[in-house]
Amino acid sequence: MGLNKNQSTNALYLFQGKIITGATKESHTLEKNGKYYNQFDSVDGRITDVKIVSGYEGSQDVALTITDVEGSYTMYFGVNSNYFRTFARSIKNVDFVKNIEFYPTYKKEGDKIQTSLLMKQDGNWIKRHYTRDNMGDMPSALPVEVNGKVTYDYAAQNEFLINELMGKFEKEKLPF
């Protein structure tokens, strides 16, 4: 598996452009709020399960099971995140029978933070199916003013992308 280390947990989380797993004080590469984690740049394997689960404080998370000959990991990331939107906008171009390498990214410029979850398959970057120039049937995010600042409501878009993801996975997953 692309984590390039042995670890005792199968839960993976995305944090500031890295894949993180729980760790001990003696073996960690990141400490955050008194907890210890190991960081990885990517993970690769075949998607063997996709679920939408309850997340932190009532939010929804994607639970993506990634399997290869060494074992399985479940990677969690929020539905209301750019990690989800970049992943789900590309999912129509993924072949679920083949391995995929997942690369989270993180970029901060001033107050603006940009994250994404990029994928590579057969040595090629997977392109987004839905883009700003080609939205297809995907609903647009709706601008909403909050405390004098414009933000965006992605609820309808996220629901559309969840349906696309789950539909494609159910249609193409292997029976074992």
Side-chain angles (χ1 to χ4, degrees):
M1 182 145 291
L3 291 176
N4 303 321
K5 268 191 190 180
N6 291 326
Q7 69 271 343
S8 60
T9 181
N10 68 349
L12 307 176
Y13 302 92
L14 304 181
F15 178 72
Q16 294 184 345
K18 297 289 184 185
I19 298 168
I20 62 170
T21 63
T24 64
K25 185 175 183 177
E26 295 77 26
S27 69
H28 71 283
T29 59
L30 172 70
E31 181 182 353
K32 184 80 173 162
N33 299 325
K35 295 185 179 180
Y36 303 100
Y37 303 95
N38 284 320
Q39 302 177 86
F40 303 90
D41 294 326
S42 68
V43 62
D44 66 78
R46 195 171 42 81
I47 297 173
T48 54
D49 198 13
V50 179
K51 293 179 183 169
I52 304 300
V53 298
S54 295
Y56 183 69
E57 293 185 352
S59 64
Q60 289 183 308
D61 283 352
V62 175
L64 191 68
T65 303
I66 302 163
T67 303
D68 74 356
V69 294
E70 295 176 19
S72 293
Y73 297 86
T74 301
M75 184 163 58
Y76 297 90
F77 49 95
V79 166
N80 198 29
S81 72
N82 281 338
Y83 290 124
F84 170 71
R85 284 186 287 279
T86 54
F87 164 76
R89 288 176 184 174
S90 303
I91 205 66
K92 278 195 166 196
N93 295 329
V94 166
D95 183 346
F96 282 113
V97 177
K98 297 179 179 179
N99 279 10
I100 303 165
E101 190 162 6
F102 299 87
Y103 294 87
T105 68
Y106 176 89
K107 183 178 179 182
K108 184 174 183 179
E109 291 180 359
D111 291 340
K112 189 171 183 170
I113 295 173
Q114 295 179 358
T115 60
S116 62
L117 183 57
L118 305 177
M119 296 177 283
K120 215 177 201 182
Q121 195 166 54
D122 293 330
N124 298 309
W125 293 105
I126 297 173
K127 296 184 190 257
R128 291 184 190 161
H129 179 81
Y130 298 107
T131 65
R132 287 185 183 161
D133 296 332
N134 179 22
M135 295 285 283
D137 295 334
M138 183 176 69
S140 295
L142 302 173
V144 178
E145 189 173 324
V146 177
N147 296 329
K149 284 188 164 187
V150 175
T151 187
Y152 291 89
D153 179 356
Y154 288 94
Q157 189 175 109
N158 289 345
E159 191 63 34
F160 174 85
L161 291 170
I162 288 170
N163 290 334
E164 289 278 310
L165 169 63
M166 300 308 286
K168 179 172 172 68
F169 180 73
E170 286 302 316
K171 182 179 173 185
E172 295 183 13
K173 72 178 179 180
L174 294 175
F176 48 86

